[in-house]
Amino acid sequence: MAINMPGAGPATEEVRPNGAEAQEPGKTGSDGKRLSPFKLYMRRFARNKAALGGLVLFALLVLFSLFGRYLTHWDHMEADFTALSVAPGVGGHLLGTNGAGNDVYAQLVHGLGRSLIIAVTVSLLTTAIAGLFGTTAAYYGGKAERAMLGLVHFLLILPSFLIIALVGTHYRGDWQVLVVVLTLFGWMLTARVIWSLATSLREREYVMAARFMGVSPIRTIVRHLLPNIGSLLIVTFTLGVASTVQAETALSFIGFGVKQPDVSLGSMLADGQNTLSTAPWLFYLPAALVVLLTVAMALIGDGLRDALDPTSQSGGRA
Amino acid sequence: MLRYIARKAVGWFLMIAVATNLTYFLANAFLKPASNYTALRPPRTPAQINHSLALYNLNPDKPITDRWWHWISQIVTHFDWGQSPTGGSVNDQVAYRIFVSGQLVLGATILSIIIGVGLGVYTASRQYKAADRVWQGLSVISFNTPSAVASLAVVLVAIALNQALGSTLLPVAGAQSPDVAGFWSVFGSRATHAILPTISLTFISYAGYHLLQRSLLLDHINSDYVRTARAKGLTQKQAIYRHGLRTSIIPVATQVAFAMPALFTGAVITETVFAWHGMGEYFTRTISTNDVHGVVAVAAFGALMTAIGAILADLVVVALDPRIRVS
């Protein structure tokens, strides 16, 4: 986390895993001493119990998607023809099987991993593009700014959902393609928000100084503008993960996203809805995971916003 | 004022035109209408298939610019949006489906704005009290529930309710019963069929307005002019409603415009689940049947909805914000 603050000591460098840090809020920094920004943020974040819960939940989900496969000997593609759509616990299938005999537990682990990879990659890429685009437009101003904003407005009116569906169908639900199209059509609104913030930054003294000292535009943007909207970018990233999971679920649900033999939570939901009354576990389990994942990300994003926003009062005083 | 609206409308119209034409070329590049004929028995030769497609201006051998010119001139002169690869008129389909979708999306939009803004005001004036926290938690969950999950959850509850009552109180599929006749019974049937999809659409979209309205009103509730209003003898309630709400509702109105396309895509799933033959269902069907002209018509409809939403939002903002002078 690069926050432009003078006197941020070496303490910022020892970035420990979030979970470990968050568990012991009282021990970071003694009273009366100056807190490094990172520790301050951690303290404010840890005070928000809901956000902390969200973080733990998210960590558990990631661990489940990474190591969950070792709890079963079934593979998500392998079909067990001796057990077609059996209930959880029958025939050695932890969470039952679907109509084709695929182990639901193995599919859940794989589907959660797939949804997570798509969501995190897309969110990272869109945040990066939106950040660069928005600050560049704000830095140059004038004609370049107007042209770039015009492009954003035009892309906003394009039927992005339809184009994503078109391209997604054409490439038969390859998840890498899904990442590309979701990224291409996901950054505009964020870029516009970032632009409106960065326009006030470009008038600041340090940006002026850099400009007059002949620092190249790209260097100014990367070193001075971007770090100063860092908090917004982090929050955008967190909330982007939740909204991408939703978009991916929606696309896969109506059949334009991830397709067989690959599975994601959305495609599992789509399969599960047809057997809602005969095999309800096929729907409940992925539905529960999707909601847990998006709610966890929303809680984290909310907590980060409170922790990083200097004017926020909701976290108390730190 | 009229000039302002006219200028905005022209700008939006140009954007819609460009977006629609772009979609036409994209759809032609990605969809293969010929696939509708490859499964027929007896098998057709490519020449026969292209001959059939040529009837509907979809012949892939003809240069794309020629096809485009024919398509666009039909729209401009006759407002004819072309045919599907198997010959159905796009105009007929869309005309019927707009009505079906409209009653669903419009009802849900109005309901979610009323509920969302109402809850926002209610919880903002009780910040950090029990009611605020409970509603906040509920909205965070509903905001993050994918529409597929929300719709199917509503279906499950309705089925359980119907089974408990032993009769079909709330129908879960279709836009109306097939065997009703007469204006009032059709109207009643449509209304009961619309209840569940409207509930599920409202459930996923109200929370956005609630959370936004709450945080905006909290920004304004402690501002000078609300305090002045209190000092002049208004009750806290009057001060909030007359002064705080008026300014803080403006960004919400802008949000509605941007939410229109999102609600439209949300309705795709709701329509799929509830088996409504609306624009959302048409959208999925046109893509899976490689219906180039249908896809473009859906895109144009979506863009039009965005434009209408944006213009309406502008009008609301002008009406509410005394600082904006347009004429």
Side-chain angles (χ1 to χ4, degrees):
Chain A
M1 198 183 319
I3 302 295
N4 236 14
M5 224 162 132
T12 29
E13 256 68 83
E14 41 166 287
V15 181
R16 275 183 282 160
N18 283 354
E21 184 96 356
Q23 243 83 66
E24 36 192 86
K27 288 177 189 151
T28 49
S30 53
D31 286 3
K33 248 181 159 181
R34 218 187 123 168
L35 282 169
S36 75
F38 182 71
K39 282 188 177 163
L40 177 66
Y41 297 146
M42 285 319 302
R43 231 190 215 196
R44 293 168 103 182
F45 185 82
R47 199 177 286 134
N48 188 339
K49 289 289 169 289
L52 214 55
L55 192 64
V56 171
L57 193 61
F58 181 67
L60 286 178
L61 285 170
V62 171
L63 288 177
F64 178 67
S65 75
L66 286 178
F67 302 111
R69 76 185 70 171
Y70 299 115
L71 287 178
T72 182
H73 57 275
W74 296 103
D75 183 42
H76 75 273
M77 311 235 283
E78 183 185 0
D80 179 4
F81 294 113
T82 61
L84 299 180
S85 91
V86 295
V90 179
H93 294 282
L94 261 181
L95 298 174
T97 61
N98 65 11
N102 298 111
D103 186 67
V104 170
Y105 175 81
Q107 285 208 320
L108 271 183
V109 173
H110 182 83
L112 178 65
R114 187 57 81 229
S115 291
L116 268 174
I117 285 188
I118 295 176
V120 171
T121 331
V122 169
S123 193
L124 261 181
L125 289 174
T126 46
T127 311
I129 296 175
L132 276 177
F133 196 92
T135 45
T136 310
Y139 178 81
Y140 282 109
K143 267 187 191 146
E145 183 179 48
R146 269 202 298 281
M148 287 170 95
L149 279 184
L151 178 72
V152 165
H153 284 162
F154 175 68
L155 284 175
L156 274 175
I157 196 184
L158 273 188
S160 53
F161 197 71
L162 197 134
I163 294 173
I164 293 171
L166 267 181
V167 180
T169 323
H170 185 72
Y171 290 101
R172 304 299 310 161
D174 211 349
W175 71 270
Q176 288 96 336
V177 176
L178 210 57
V179 167
V180 173
V181 282
L182 281 176
T183 306
L184 280 182
F185 289 100
W187 57 271
M188 293 89 69
L189 211 54
T190 323
R192 210 181 172 289
V193 175
I194 287 172
W195 162 79
S196 61
L197 268 173
T199 42
S200 73
L201 283 183
R202 78 168 166 227
E203 309 297 332
R204 294 282 177 83
E205 293 82 354
Y206 52 84
V207 179
M208 296 290 217
R211 195 186 288 233
F212 295 141
M213 282 164 76
V215 180
S216 74
I218 296 184
R219 205 176 156 78
T220 317
I221 288 166
V222 175
R223 289 294 292 276
H224 299 289
L225 284 176
L226 276 181
N228 281 289
I229 50 165
S231 58
L232 179 72
L233 290 180
I234 292 169
V235 174
T236 310
F237 166 70
T238 342
L239 297 180
V241 171
S243 62
T244 316
V245 169
Q246 287 213 36
E248 188 269 329
T249 314
L251 274 171
S252 300
F253 184 81
I254 54 177
F256 300 138
V258 168
K259 281 190 184 131
Q260 290 291 341
D262 204 353
V263 283
S264 76
L265 293 178
S267 65
M268 291 187 74
L269 279 181
D271 292 342
Q273 69 143 336
N274 299 321
T275 52
L276 207 49
S277 46
T278 52
W281 63 92
L282 290 180
F283 174 74
Y284 285 133
L285 296 168
L289 277 188
V290 174
V291 175
L292 280 182
L293 180 57
T294 47
V295 169
M297 286 321 281
L299 291 177
I300 295 174
D302 222 40
L304 278 177
R305 179 159 40 206
D306 281 349
L308 298 172
D309 178 6
T311 60
S312 163
Q313 293 293 316
S314 60
R317 284 166 201 283
Chain B
M1 188 68 207
L2 275 176
R3 260 187 60 198
Y4 171 78
I5 299 174
R7 214 173 45 228
K8 283 261 174 195
V10 169
W12 277 106
F13 178 77
L14 286 178
M15 292 234 267
I16 292 173
V18 176
T20 309
N21 281 296
L22 208 72
T23 319
Y24 181 80
F25 288 107
L26 273 173
N28 267 301
F30 283 114
L31 295 178
K32 299 277 166 285
S35 62
N36 285 299
Y37 290 89
T38 46
L40 287 182
R41 296 280 168 257
R44 311 275 173 96
T45 62
Q48 281 173 318
I49 292 176
N50 283 351
H51 179 73
S52 307
L53 287 176
L55 291 175
Y56 313 123
N57 188 32
L58 288 165
N59 187 358
D61 290 341
K62 207 167 153 190
I64 176 90
T65 43
D66 289 5
R67 275 181 280 157
W68 172 77
W69 179 247
H70 186 249
W71 170 80
I72 193 89
S73 50
Q74 281 294 314
I75 293 177
V76 173
T77 52
H78 298 104
F79 203 71
D80 180 3
W81 287 79
Q83 282 99 30
S84 81
T86 46
S89 159
V90 170
N91 280 28
D92 290 355
Q93 288 280 344
V94 170
Y96 159 73
R97 283 161 190 275
I98 282 179
F99 178 67
V100 174
S101 272
Q103 74 186 84
L104 187 62
V105 173
L106 211 66
T109 310
I110 294 171
L111 266 181
S112 52
I113 292 173
I114 293 174
I115 296 175
V117 171
L119 271 180
V121 175
Y122 176 80
T123 51
S125 44
R126 286 165 188 72
Q127 194 186 11
Y128 298 144
K129 285 187 184 145
D132 179 29
R133 292 204 189 273
V134 170
W135 281 112
Q136 184 95 352
L138 213 93
S139 291
V140 166
I141 291 177
S142 88
F143 188 63
N144 289 293
T145 310
S147 31
V149 176
S151 318
L152 283 164
V154 169
V155 169
L156 277 178
V157 171
I159 289 177
L161 193 72
N162 284 343
Q163 278 171 349
L165 290 174
S167 70
T168 315
L169 180 69
L170 294 170
V172 292
Q176 70 174 75
S177 309
D179 51 352
V180 291
F183 177 77
W184 283 111
S185 46
V186 168
F187 181 81
S189 165
R190 280 189 166 274
T192 46
H193 277 81
I195 291 175
L196 290 178
T198 307
I199 289 177
S200 68
L201 262 186
T202 310
F203 179 76
I204 52 168
S205 48
Y206 90 91
Y209 302 125
H210 168 205
L211 300 175
L212 184 68
Q213 180 68 63
R214 176 181 177 274
S215 70
L216 287 168
L217 192 55
L218 283 179
D219 287 347
H220 285 281
I221 231 166
N222 295 319
S223 58
D224 293 340
Y225 57 88
V226 176
R227 209 173 307 134
T228 313
R230 281 283 279 141
K232 281 159 80 182
L234 270 70
T235 64
Q236 180 73 11
K237 216 175 192 170
Q238 285 170 322
I240 289 175
Y241 276 96
R242 282 195 207 156
H243 300 274
L245 183 59
R246 196 183 157 111
T247 37
S248 64
I249 208 169
I250 290 168
V252 181
T254 329
Q255 182 87 355
V256 174
F258 280 114
M260 284 302 272
L263 194 68
F264 183 65
T265 53
V268 175
I269 286 158
T270 315
E271 283 174 22
T272 315
V273 171
F274 289 96
W276 275 52
H277 302 295
M279 287 301 282
E281 194 241 1
Y282 189 54
F283 161 75
T284 53
R285 223 192 56 195
T286 48
I287 291 185
S288 52
T289 59
N290 290 290
D291 182 350
V292 172
H293 295 142
V295 165
V296 183
V298 172
F301 175 72
L304 181 70
M305 287 296 111
T306 318
I308 292 176
I311 291 175
L312 281 181
D314 278 346
L315 289 182
V316 172
V317 170
V318 169
L320 283 175
D321 196 340
R323 287 167 300 187
I324 296 177
R325 289 273 168 271
V326 284
S327 47

